[in-house]
């Protein structure tokens, strides 16, 4: 089995993050009269041969950088750590 992280694998991991944080899993909100971006949605931004985790900050598509730019493996590890943090926080609150 290859240790290579594909873009599809990375996008699936980001969907897990969106679900864990109860954020929209789709980039576009197609339910409104005029389609707009889903504020809060996390996605993989790609530029200059690198990748990073970004989040939609407004209905017009403005985004904020969540992670530094890196390889698919580095962003995989970043997103995986975020999911682990969310799960740990949920377990702490479940025990309150």
């Amino acid at each position: 089995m290859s240790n290579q992280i594909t873009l599809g694998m990375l996008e699936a991991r980001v969907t897990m993050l969106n679900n864990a944080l109860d954020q929209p899993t789709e980039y576009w909100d197609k339910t409104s009269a005029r389609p707009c971006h889903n504020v809060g949605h996390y996605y993989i931004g790609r530029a200059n041969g690198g990748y990073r985790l970004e989040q939609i900050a407004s209905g017009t598509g403005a985004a904020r950088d969540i992670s530094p730019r890196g390889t698919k493996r580095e962003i995989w590890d970043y997103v995986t750590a975020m999911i682990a943090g969310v799960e740990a926080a949920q377990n702490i609150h479940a025990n309150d």
Side-chain angles (χ1 to χ4, degrees), residues 63-75:
R64 63 187 186 123
D65 300 338
I66 303 299
S67 74
R69 193 167 305 283
T71 65
K72 287 182 274 191
R73 168 68 63 188
E74 290 168 333
I75 303 310

Side-chain angles (χ1 to χ4, degrees), residues 1 4-5 10-11 14 16-17 21 31 34-35 48 57-58 61 63 65 68 73 78 84-86 92 94:
M1 178 165 169
Q4 182 177 355
I5 300 297
L10 190 53
E11 289 172 342
V14 173
M16 290 175 62
L17 176 64
L21 292 171
T31 62
R34 184 173 174 197
N48 303 320
S58 76
D65 300 338
R73 168 68 63 188
Y78 194 96
V86 169
I92 289 169

Side-chain angles (χ1 to χ4, degrees), residues 4-79:
Q4 182 177 355
I5 300 297
T6 67
L7 184 57
M9 292 167 62
L10 190 53
E11 289 172 342
R13 183 58 53 117
V14 173
T15 296
M16 290 175 62
L17 176 64
N18 279 312
N19 286 328
L21 292 171
D22 200 26
Q23 294 296 335
T25 57
E26 297 294 326
Y27 189 85
W28 290 99
D29 177 2
K30 298 175 185 171
T31 62
S32 63
R34 184 173 174 197
C36 61
H37 297 81
N38 271 321
V39 175
H41 172 76
Y42 289 91
Y43 66 97
I44 299 299
R46 296 179 281 173
N48 303 320
Y51 303 84
R52 79 169 150 225
L53 184 64
E54 299 177 3
Q55 184 182 34
I56 296 175
S58 76
T60 59
R64 63 187 186 123
D65 300 338
I66 303 299
S67 74
R69 193 167 305 283
T71 65
K72 287 182 274 191
R73 168 68 63 188
E74 290 168 333
I75 303 310
W76 171 275
D77 291 343
Y78 194 96
V79 173

